[in-house]
Amino acid sequence: MLRSSLIGVAFAAAFAFTVLWSARGRRTNERHTFAWLLVAATIAGLSLWRHGIDTLASAMGIYYAPSALFFLALSALMWVVYRLSLQVAEQRQQLKRLAQEVALLTSTEHERLARAPPRSDSVPAAARHDPHAA
Amino acid sequence: MDTRRGLIVLLAFNEEECIATTVAELREALPDLDVLVVDDGSRDQTAERARAAGAFVLTHPFNLGVAAGEASGLLYASRHGYAQVIRMDGDGQHDPASVPALREALQSGVELVIGSRFAGVASFRSTWLRRFGNQFLAGLLSTLSRQRITDPTSGFRGFGPQAIRFFARTHPHDYPEPESVLMAARQGFPIAEVAVRMRPRLTGTSSLTPWKSAFYMAKVSFALLMERVRPV
């Protein structure tokens, strides 16, 4: 195996290990873990299949093979980032709504407490502080 | 439904120095209106002072921005059955003397009434850059909404019952003042402008710089164009 293939495979293995370690510690969810593992597998596959990049480049009509690799890698990364930005926007909406509901509930509770008559069975403040009081 | 039941929504963020004065002034000048202070995650005594001054208070657990503050006020109004909402700023810049004019417009069937600083009352002074930005946005918004709007960024506005229900459900994300005008126009709500007076702010200073103003103009223009192509 060529040295460059070894480096590629080692990098893919290290990346896959990092992703799995994060998943084990519940720092990422399964959907993201799976996507990143696919990325690692692709890196390993292209490292081992020496002529894979050349085949891809010629299929895409690109003369310089590494350009095809850069194009595919950038496209994949852009897709991942775009998906993440959609999720961030959705979660921002959910967070805003949640905060508004919390504000409304807190306000309702405050108004209810302000309207509630004092409880007749409550112990007077003076009595609470005096353990000898009747 | 009591068509006169109205709520003043004051947006406040770290306004402990002036919120009690503003609430007290409004309660004295407009005793038939309830006052709600939307405290947008203040780190000072804004909520406590507003409550002590006699306002209802909604407190966001953290700062959500002006758009969410307005949306919370409208959500509160919708849940509590208010037929009119007047949105004002908590820093005292909006003159309570202009509120009856906004309410009159709402009583006549208008669903969104904008308190305009540029519709005839010569009380408002600003820099040439802000005037240019306002005129540009006013032109864009007037074209997109197919009616003349002179003050697209005014936060001194009134909402009728249909607008309250609609905006409690669907509210602009980022630039509530101009975006909601376009949304209301596309919903077919009657919109009107009323000349209002603006006063110098009681406390604090504006955070706008020329660069921020230019960037704001570009972002709002983009948001308006996006809003125009969304399904109604």
Side-chain angles (χ1 to χ4, degrees):
Chain A
M1 191 185 285
L2 290 172
R3 197 189 305 169
S4 61
S5 296
L6 268 177
I7 290 171
V9 171
F11 174 76
F15 184 59
F17 176 78
T18 308
V19 168
L20 287 170
W21 191 256
S22 299
R24 183 178 173 273
R26 296 184 194 283
R27 282 183 290 143
T28 181
N29 62 28
E30 279 71 19
R31 198 167 41 165
H32 294 154
T33 307
F34 185 73
W36 288 121
L37 284 177
L38 272 181
V39 170
T42 307
I43 293 170
L46 286 174
S47 303
L48 291 171
W49 184 25
R50 299 290 305 169
H51 301 294
I53 299 168
D54 295 327
T55 310
L56 276 173
S58 82
M60 292 165 71
I62 296 172
Y63 173 73
Y64 185 55
S67 292
L69 187 64
F70 288 134
F71 174 76
L72 290 173
L74 274 177
S75 303
L77 285 176
M78 275 178 66
W79 176 249
V80 170
V81 172
Y82 175 66
R83 294 282 308 169
L84 286 175
S85 73
L86 289 182
Q87 285 174 16
V88 168
E90 188 190 350
Q91 285 175 357
R92 183 185 161 204
Q93 279 299 102
Q94 290 170 338
L95 191 63
K96 187 177 92 177
R97 186 67 195 203
L98 189 65
Q100 288 175 322
E101 291 293 343
V102 168
L104 282 165
L105 280 172
T106 311
S107 160
T108 308
E109 180 65 8
H110 223 281
E111 285 166 25
R112 193 184 65 79
L113 286 174
R115 275 200 305 269
R119 285 176 57 182
S120 57
D121 60 341
S122 62
V123 182
R128 278 204 304 273
H129 291 116
D130 181 6
H132 303 293
Chain B
M1 185 188 283
D2 181 0
T3 55
R4 291 164 305 172
R5 197 171 172 226
L7 177 74
I8 291 176
V9 172
L10 287 177
L11 304 188
F13 176 57
N14 291 339
E15 304 277 11
E16 67 176 9
E17 286 177 43
C18 64
I19 195 68
T21 316
T22 309
V23 170
E25 184 187 14
L26 284 169
R27 294 194 72 206
E28 193 184 329
L30 305 156
D32 54 331
L33 292 176
D34 292 337
V35 179
L36 170 75
V37 171
V38 180
D39 165 33
D40 193 15
S42 297
R43 290 181 298 274
D44 61 7
Q45 298 289 308
T46 298
E48 291 77 3
R49 293 195 182 175
R51 204 171 274 123
F56 298 119
V57 177
L58 272 190
T59 301
H60 288 165
F62 44 84
N63 187 257
L64 291 170
V66 176
E70 183 175 292
S72 295
L74 290 165
L75 197 58
Y76 182 95
S78 176
R79 297 260 173 101
H80 290 80
Y82 286 96
Q84 291 183 350
V85 165
I86 306 292
R87 187 207 128 174
M88 301 170 76
D89 284 352
D91 60 9
Q93 280 198 90
H94 297 153
D95 190 346
S98 298
V99 171
L102 268 69
R103 294 193 74 199
E104 258 177 51
L106 293 174
Q107 289 284 14
S108 70
V110 166
E111 284 294 332
L112 177 64
V113 57
I114 304 159
S116 172
R117 296 162 287 185
F118 306 105
V121 179
S123 65
F124 188 67
R125 294 278 179 271
S126 64
T127 62
W128 69 268
L129 184 69
R130 289 182 74 173
R131 277 200 304 275
F132 168 75
N134 191 77
Q135 279 172 9
F136 175 81
L137 286 179
L140 181 66
L141 187 56
S142 300
T143 306
L144 294 175
S145 60
R146 297 195 179 96
Q147 75 175 83
R148 186 170 148 73
I149 305 292
T150 61
D151 194 353
T153 58
S154 170
F156 195 3
R157 293 123 47 87
F159 299 83
Q162 284 186 61
I164 291 171
R165 283 196 297 275
F166 174 73
F167 286 116
R169 200 174 58 244
T170 312
H171 198 268
H173 299 323
D174 296 310
Y175 311 106
E177 295 91 359
E179 280 188 80
S180 58
V181 175
L182 183 54
M183 287 168 84
R186 298 190 74 209
Q187 289 295 315
F189 293 157
I191 302 171
E193 276 197 328
V194 168
V196 293
R197 285 187 181 282
M198 293 287 284
R199 304 183 295 193
R201 61 172 70 227
L202 295 177
T203 56
T205 53
S206 171
S207 60
L208 280 180
T209 63
W211 274 113
K212 278 187 185 173
S213 299
F215 199 43
Y216 173 84
M217 210 167 71
K219 286 191 294 185
V220 173
S221 302
F222 177 70
L224 286 175
L225 291 171
M226 287 301 297
E227 187 54 50
R228 185 66 188 83
V229 296
R230 284 199 181 105
V232 178

